[in-house]
Every structure is written in C-alpha cells, then in structure tokens.
C-alpha cells in the first residue's frame, strides 16, 4: 500500500484509532480528530512480522486534535499503544516469551523504519500524556505545532510515573513532543501553552541524534515570557 490522501475530514467519538497506517507516502491535511479513545494517527509495523510496508514519507499538516487517548490502552500503555500520543509513530517488535508484559517489551531499538516524517502546523487541544511521539525515525520535521493546555488525568500520570524519562518524584509528567531512537530531527516553532508544573514541551528519551532546534518554547497562558522547553 502506498500514496494515500486524507483531507478536510472529521473523525470523532470512536473507541479505537482514527487512522492506522501501514503504508508509504501518506498525506493527512486539514482534518479534525475528536473524542477518540486511542491515538488519532497510529503509524506502526512489526519489522519481524510485517503486515505491510513501514510508514515512511508521512505528512500531517493543519490538523486539529481534541480530547483523545481516554481509553484503557492509552491510559495504561497496553496492547498497541506504547506511547499515549495523538500522533504516535514507532516500529513495533514482538515480545520475547521471557520478557514481562508491558509497553517496553514492544519498543524497538536500533530500527529506523519510519523515515521522512513531516508533522507541521497542527493544533492539540485538551491532550493527555503526549501530543506527538516519534520513535524509530530518520529525517523528521516537527514544526509550528501548537499545544494548548492538557487535560489532567491522574491514571495517565500513574502510568507515566513508571517511565524513567517522564517520572520525577514519583509522579508521571506529560510531554508535548516525545522522541526516542530518532536520527536527524528538525524541531522549530513548536509552542506549548499552559503546561502544568513539571510537564515538558520536548522530551528526548534515548538514542536521539542530529537534532536541529529553533524557537521551541513552553509558554504561560498569561503573564511573563517563555520558560525552557
């Protein structure tokens, strides 16, 4: 499968994903995703047991996301959801029988299958956990995305408290942009407004190299200027 196009659409109130991608050359423009129990856009495949090509050359621009990731899979990082994000991109691996169950058993290191990603000019309302999560990618552009204040979700925070990259003082923290196993990423003009104390505009978990950054910030809703991302 390759070369699909979605534009000017609205997907809402579904108990699963909106778009589950195992294809190359996708474009998703000017669409709205509301009230989905899991990630709105999930791009993943298993290198060891592929059901289609990896999601490469994916372009998501001008989309709006609101009130998603409220279901069990997202709030507990269960089954297909390794990262509770509105846009989640990763290369999934099969769990070894000797490994304990959990999202880490499906995280792939050293694979760069999801290359040439453009996530530009999207707006995230009432998000929880993560806005954008990118793993296993080379040549990613994440630019001019707007993150408005997240929804408070104690169950999600308990789950993220088990993640060394997102835990602090026994509490899990949200990340507007989460990166892991990414080589070559351009981050520019991404602004997160009204983040609760301790939450992050950008988190680099591991194996993130070749980063170019400019004008990314966590900003208050009112008052003084930007704080560190």
């Amino acid at each position: 499968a390759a070369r699909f196009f979605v534009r000017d659409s609205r997907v809402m109130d579904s108990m699963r994903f909106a778009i589950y991608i195992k294809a190359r050359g996708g474009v998703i423009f000017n669409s709205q995703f509301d009230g989905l129990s899991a990630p709105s856009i999930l791009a993943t495949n298993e290198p060891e047991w592929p059901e289609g090509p990896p999601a490469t050359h994916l372009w998501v621009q001008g989309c709006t996301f609101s009130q998603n990731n409220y279901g069990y899979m997202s709030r507990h990082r269960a089954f297909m959801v390794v990262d509770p994000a509105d846009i989640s991109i990763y290369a999934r691996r099969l769990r070894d029988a000797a490994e304990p169950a959990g999202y880490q058993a499906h995280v792939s290191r050293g694979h760069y299958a999801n290359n040439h990603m453009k996530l530009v000019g999207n707006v995230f309302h009432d998000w929880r956990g993560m806005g954008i999560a990118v793993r296993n990618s080379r040549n990613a552009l994440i630019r001019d995305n707007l993150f408005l204040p997240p929804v408070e979700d104690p169950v999600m925070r308990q789950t993220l408290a088990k993640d060394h990259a997102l835990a602090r003082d026994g509490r899990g923290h949200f990340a507007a942009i989460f990166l892991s196993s990414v080589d070559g990423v351009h981050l520019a003009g991404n602004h997160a407004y009204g983040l609760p104390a301790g939450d992050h505009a950008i988190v680099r978990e591991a194996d993130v190299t070749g980063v170019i950054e400019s004008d990314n910030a966590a900003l208050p809703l009112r008052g003084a200027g930007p704080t560190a991302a």
Side-chain angles (χ1 to χ4, degrees):
R3 299 181 182 176
F4 67 91
F5 191 85
V6 178
R7 67 171 298 174
D8 303 327
S9 300
R10 186 176 188 186
V11 184
M12 60 187 295
D13 300 332
S14 169
M15 294 303 293
R16 200 72 185 271
F17 318 109
I19 304 175
Y20 184 4
I21 302 169
K22 296 188 177 186
R24 298 188 179 100
V27 173
I28 304 169
F29 282 176
N30 302 322
S31 294
Q32 189 170 343
F33 303 90
D34 306 306
L36 306 171
S37 70
S40 302
I41 298 173
L42 180 69
T44 185
N45 213 329
E46 297 87 349
E48 299 155 317
W49 186 17
E51 295 179 341
T56 65
H57 300 85
L58 175 64
W59 186 356
V60 182
Q61 182 165 344
C63 294
T64 302
F65 303 85
S66 180
Q67 288 281 1
N68 302 308
N69 281 306
Y70 62 82
Y72 180 91
M73 280 198 303
S74 291
R75 298 176 86 201
H76 296 274
R77 292 180 113 166
F79 189 42
M80 294 299 297
V81 179
V82 301
D83 296 313
D86 280 310
I87 302 174
S88 177
I89 298 166
Y90 76 101
R92 184 177 179 83
R93 70 180 174 91
L94 301 179
R95 180 174 70 89
D96 187 281
E99 289 183 276
Y103 80 95
Q104 291 178 328
H106 299 290
V107 170
S108 175
R109 304 284 186 190
H111 287 109
Y112 298 95
N114 307 304
N115 301 324
H116 313 298
M117 299 288 165
K118 294 172 67 174
L119 311 175
V120 179
N122 302 291
V123 180
F124 300 82
H125 296 266
D126 298 323
W127 55 280
R128 68 190 77 211
M130 304 170 186
I132 294 170
V134 179
R135 298 179 184 262
N136 314 112
S137 181
R138 284 195 173 103
N139 188 27
L141 172 64
I142 304 174
R143 188 184 72 201
D144 297 334
N145 295 287
L146 173 63
F147 302 88
L148 297 174
V151 171
E152 184 55 36
D153 189 328
V155 175
M156 182 79 79
R157 290 196 183 277
Q158 283 185 336
T159 297
L160 297 181
K162 301 171 186 175
D163 187 326
H164 70 90
L166 297 169
R168 185 185 304 162
D169 300 325
R171 176 178 166 85
H173 293 280
F174 294 174
I177 298 172
F178 180 89
L179 303 172
S180 181
S181 294
V182 176
D183 178 23
V185 57
H186 188 179
L187 299 161
N190 300 291
H191 294 163
Y193 283 85
L195 287 177
D199 287 354
H200 309 279
I202 300 170
V203 168
R204 301 177 192 83
E205 191 246 5
D207 304 323
V208 178
T209 58
V211 180
I212 300 173
E213 288 190 75
S214 62
D215 189 31
N216 302 292
L219 298 158
L221 289 175
R222 296 188 184 92
T227 58

